[in-house]
Amino acid sequence: MGRYFGRKSIVYALTCIVAVTINWLVPRFMPGDPVLQMLISRGPDTNPEQTAVIMDYYNRLFGFDVPLWQQYLNYWGALFKGDLGVSVWLFPTPVADVVLRALPYTLGLLLPAILLSWFLGNKVGAMAARRKWLDNSVLPVGYVLTATPYMWLAILLAWSLGIVAGIFPTAGGYGFDLQPAVSWEFASSLAMHWFLPFLSLFLVAFGGWAIGMRNLVIYELESDYANYLAALGAPPRLIRRYAFRNAILPQVTGLALQLGVLVGGSILTEVVFAYPGLGNLVFQALLHRDFFLLQGVVLFIVIGVLVANFVIDVVYVLVDPRTRAGMQGVSA
Amino acid sequence: MTDTRPLKPITADARRAEIFRLALGNPKVIAGLVILATLLALGLAAPLLSGHGPSDYVGPRAEPPSADFWFGTTLFGQDVFVQFANGIRSTYVVGLLAGGIGALVGMTVGFVAGYRGGVVDEILSMITNVVLVLPAFAVLIILAAYVGIDSVVHQSVFIGAFSWPWVARAVRAQTFSLRSREFVDLARLTGVRPLTIIRTEIGPNMGSYLLLVFIVLFGGSILTAASLDFLGLGPPGQMSLGLMMNQALQSSALVLGIWWWFLPPGIGIVLIVGALYVTNIGLDDVFNPKLRKM
């Protein structure tokens, strides 16, 4: 088990270093001065004072006068202090503040969508295996859902349930006429705005989990131990329970592998609903060519996904008796 | 072992013919391929269909589907059908290219790591695992925003560069189990070079699996490319299904009720990716005799 976590830790540490290095490297090795270019591309200089402050800030931050390796170390130093720079779009708010303000919305969307879709997808998928009538409906629906681009399902839901039916609002995190407050009115507005983006993320992910679980359970039910149990006269319920417990392990690994895709999906969904989370920040940063904000958000997302991956690894050890006992287990 | 009649050798050609026959008898494969071929034909015919380009302003604004404009026009009077056909075309290009690149890199890494083992395997597996946990879409956004994407080929290279790790892992595991088989040992003992062994002994034994892998990568790349295009990070001046959705959303097509603008691109993607998945299940039935009876 120590070996398992040792290997995993090395992978995560390396990935983190690679991600931070890409983030540092890419703007630096682009032709031209990225700071100047970004400021120019923002249009005519209407506020020379602000421009001068930003230029000065970034030239100092990047420390273009020191050798490259020192620039790199400085970048890490700033990162550890939680300093992601200053947003140009929302000048002079620090990027870290902008990100932290958007974070609750994204987490509130992602966590329920991921956990619920995983849980229900596994349940429904396992039920569909070997039940012809259910399988005939779950399988096609599941495949259509996994083939659906996140943003399109979001557009479809916003248009049908939001605009045509008029049941749900289609933009923002809460009513435009409201201020965040602890009140029923605000809470219900929050919930109404939350529902459609949640539903759209949930549905696409649900299809994938259901199909995966169905295939895994069928595979388990065909295995020798299942046949042996059946030959002994064990009740089908018991066999199915064993099959489910064995099939759930690859699904835990699948959850770790799918995290990046799901986070990407939430970026797209938030853009469609103008939901004030990290995904919408990515889009706004691209629109306003605010590369510092973009980098900050993306770095935050990458590190968030790594942390979540680590949590899933710990869960895996708790669920899988083989890794718990330090036997063969999974390879890192 | 008492039967001493000479076994009729099953030639590669005979096996291929058998697989082909089974594939053509499989309704899933047929349905998937028919959808794929129809849309491909539409995409290929795109430039011939009309005299104007996908972004030309040719008709009245926001006109619903009609005999003149089959899919209607956009808010600015562009022909949605021409945009759709061109989008389908670039969707196929990006899927084939990015899927191909991803499959090639994944197979190469997997074969080498699995066949060589030892330190080479350790290093390659470490790289694979690092790229595997890296959220590819987030990194692609950074790359596309800074480096810029100037063509579909460029976009495909970026997407392929991050989609290979799970392929490498699967191929490595299979190569691992194949390389200790007798026929591989025999080839090694007779002095066949490692690359030739991988190509002639190990590769063909995984051929069906590799085809399935490519199909999954094909579909995945299409979804990734559409997502990048939707964020406005696609190749400039290149019409795509993702860009259509981007423009529709940016022009408030939802509020204005121009449904013929934002429905076709999504339907196109669902059809292509869905057809790929269906073909995949069908081929799985064909290649895997265990599943055939179901």
Side-chain angles (χ1 to χ4, degrees):
Chain A
M1 198 159 106
R3 200 178 122 79
Y4 169 77
F5 274 116
R7 280 187 74 97
K8 285 280 182 191
S9 307
I10 294 174
V11 168
Y12 289 132
L14 264 178
T15 313
C16 190
I17 293 170
V18 168
V20 172
T21 308
I22 290 179
N23 223 5
W24 174 83
L25 204 68
V26 170
R28 237 157 232 81
F29 284 85
M30 291 315 298
D33 180 344
V35 181
L36 196 64
Q37 223 159 40
M38 179 190 71
L39 293 174
I40 291 170
S41 67
R42 284 173 55 77
D45 198 348
T46 46
N47 189 348
E49 206 177 315
Q50 179 191 326
T51 310
V53 172
I54 298 174
M55 283 289 289
D56 180 55
Y57 177 85
Y58 279 107
N59 282 330
R60 208 153 26 85
L61 177 78
F62 289 155
F64 285 129
D65 47 342
V66 296
L68 218 54
W69 61 269
Q70 205 166 350
Q71 288 181 32
Y72 183 63
L73 287 185
N74 288 347
Y75 185 75
W76 272 99
L79 209 61
F80 273 118
K81 278 183 272 172
D83 180 3
L84 294 170
V86 174
S87 166
V88 181
W89 171 46
L90 297 168
F91 189 82
T93 322
V95 167
D97 286 3
V98 181
V99 171
L100 284 181
R101 226 179 295 151
L103 187 63
Y105 289 100
T106 297
L107 283 183
L109 211 56
L110 263 178
L111 284 181
I114 292 178
L115 293 177
L116 265 177
S117 68
W118 191 80
F119 187 75
L120 289 177
N122 282 335
K123 281 273 172 227
V124 173
M127 280 196 293
R130 290 282 181 256
R131 280 195 192 118
K132 210 71 199 160
W133 61 273
L134 193 59
D135 200 19
N136 283 341
S137 56
V138 168
L139 200 60
V141 172
Y143 273 108
V144 168
L145 284 177
T146 40
T148 308
Y150 280 95
M151 59 280 187
W152 191 63
L153 188 64
I155 289 177
L156 217 56
L157 288 175
W159 176 64
S160 59
L161 291 179
I163 288 163
V164 175
I167 305 170
F168 293 99
T170 56
Y174 47 82
F176 289 116
D177 51 341
L178 293 175
Q179 285 294 317
V182 187
S183 69
W184 271 117
E185 199 192 1
F186 182 72
S188 69
S189 172
L190 208 60
M192 287 299 267
H193 282 81
W194 169 84
F195 185 71
L196 281 188
F198 159 79
L199 184 67
S200 131
L201 265 176
F202 168 84
L203 283 177
V204 178
F206 173 83
W209 297 131
I211 292 173
M213 194 60 181
R214 170 204 173 262
N215 294 343
L216 285 165
V217 168
I218 287 183
Y219 181 79
E220 290 293 335
L221 287 177
E222 280 173 358
S223 65
D224 291 342
Y225 75 84
N227 286 331
Y228 180 63
L229 273 177
L232 287 182
R237 268 183 58 90
L238 182 74
I239 305 175
R240 295 183 74 90
R241 202 159 71 221
Y242 283 149
F244 184 82
R245 291 194 55 160
N246 276 313
I248 204 84
L249 288 174
Q251 289 287 79
V252 175
T253 318
L255 185 59
L257 293 180
Q258 281 294 310
L259 272 181
V261 178
L262 287 162
V263 172
S266 87
I267 293 180
L268 302 165
T269 309
E270 284 179 19
V271 169
V272 172
F273 289 100
Y275 202 71
L278 293 180
N280 203 37
L281 274 189
V282 167
F283 192 60
Q284 294 300 332
L286 286 171
L287 274 185
H288 295 93
R289 303 193 67 74
D290 183 350
F291 285 161
F292 306 113
L293 180 59
L294 180 67
Q295 279 193 295
V297 179
V298 168
L299 197 61
F300 201 85
I301 290 175
V302 171
I303 292 173
V305 168
L306 289 186
V307 170
N309 256 297
F310 189 75
V311 171
I312 294 175
D313 280 343
V314 174
V315 170
Y316 193 99
V317 172
L318 295 177
V319 185
D320 186 355
R322 285 170 308 180
T323 37
R324 206 164 43 211
M327 286 155 66
Q328 62 193 98
V330 285
S331 59
Chain B
M1 291 308 275
T2 47
D3 193 348
T4 49
R5 272 178 303 163
L7 278 168
K8 210 165 108 198
I10 302 170
T11 61
D13 280 345
R15 248 194 66 200
R16 214 166 290 151
E18 168 78 359
I19 291 282
F20 203 66
R21 194 181 59 77
L22 280 169
L24 287 184
N26 187 302
K28 289 174 196 146
V29 176
I30 295 298
L33 287 181
V34 165
I35 296 176
L36 286 174
T38 312
L39 286 169
L40 179 65
L42 176 66
L44 288 178
L48 310 171
L49 285 172
S50 70
H52 47 262
S55 298
D56 294 348
Y57 308 102
V58 290
R61 293 157 161 255
E63 180 160 287
S66 64
D68 287 340
F69 302 101
W70 294 350
F71 284 10
T73 60
T74 70
L75 184 62
F76 316 106
Q78 294 142 314
D79 191 335
V80 175
F81 183 70
V82 175
Q83 293 198 340
F84 178 73
N86 277 279
I88 291 282
R89 182 191 177 85
S90 65
T91 298
Y92 272 100
V93 174
V94 95
L96 283 172
L97 264 179
I101 293 170
L104 204 67
V105 176
M107 285 173 204
T108 312
V109 172
F111 277 137
V112 173
Y115 189 76
R116 296 299 292 271
V119 186
V120 178
D121 177 33
E122 286 283 330
I123 294 169
L124 287 179
S125 293
M126 202 50 114
I127 295 173
T128 307
N129 283 322
V130 166
V131 184
L132 193 67
V133 284
L134 207 60
F137 190 59
V139 180
L140 281 174
I141 289 177
I142 285 286
L143 278 178
Y146 274 106
V147 183
I149 286 175
D150 46 27
S151 67
V152 177
V153 178
H154 200 162
Q155 189 180 34
S156 310
V157 172
F158 275 164
I159 295 173
F162 287 95
S163 63
W164 58 267
W166 66 271
V167 180
R169 262 172 82 144
V171 170
R172 171 185 171 272
Q174 293 217 15
T175 310
F176 230 71
S177 71
L178 280 174
R179 79 166 179 174
S180 50
R181 299 277 189 84
E182 286 89 348
F183 62 88
V184 178
D185 283 338
L186 185 68
R188 216 183 348 245
L189 284 175
T190 47
V192 181
R193 292 217 319 276
L195 264 181
T196 318
I197 293 183
I198 290 177
R199 202 165 40 86
T200 60
E201 306 291 338
I202 295 179
N205 276 292
M206 293 168 56
S208 57
Y209 180 74
L210 296 179
L211 179 63
L212 300 184
V213 159
F214 170 69
I215 294 177
V216 173
L217 280 174
F218 191 156
S221 305
I222 287 176
L223 290 176
T224 310
S227 307
L228 285 174
D229 295 339
F230 175 70
L231 290 179
L233 291 172
Q238 171 73 49
M239 186 45 67
S240 67
L241 299 177
L243 185 61
M244 285 175 76
M245 287 190 245
N246 169 301
Q247 290 174 347
L249 193 72
Q250 297 283 315
S251 318
S252 319
L254 271 72
V255 182
L256 297 172
I258 315 177
W259 49 266
W260 53 88
W261 191 359
F262 56 80
L263 287 188
I267 294 172
I269 294 174
V270 173
L271 277 179
I272 296 179
V273 179
L276 282 168
Y277 288 165
V278 170
T279 313
N280 206 20
I281 319 168
L283 285 178
D284 205 16
D285 294 351
V286 172
F287 291 135
N288 194 341
K290 254 191 185 170
L291 296 170
R292 227 173 268 163
K293 273 159 271 156
M294 286 185 54

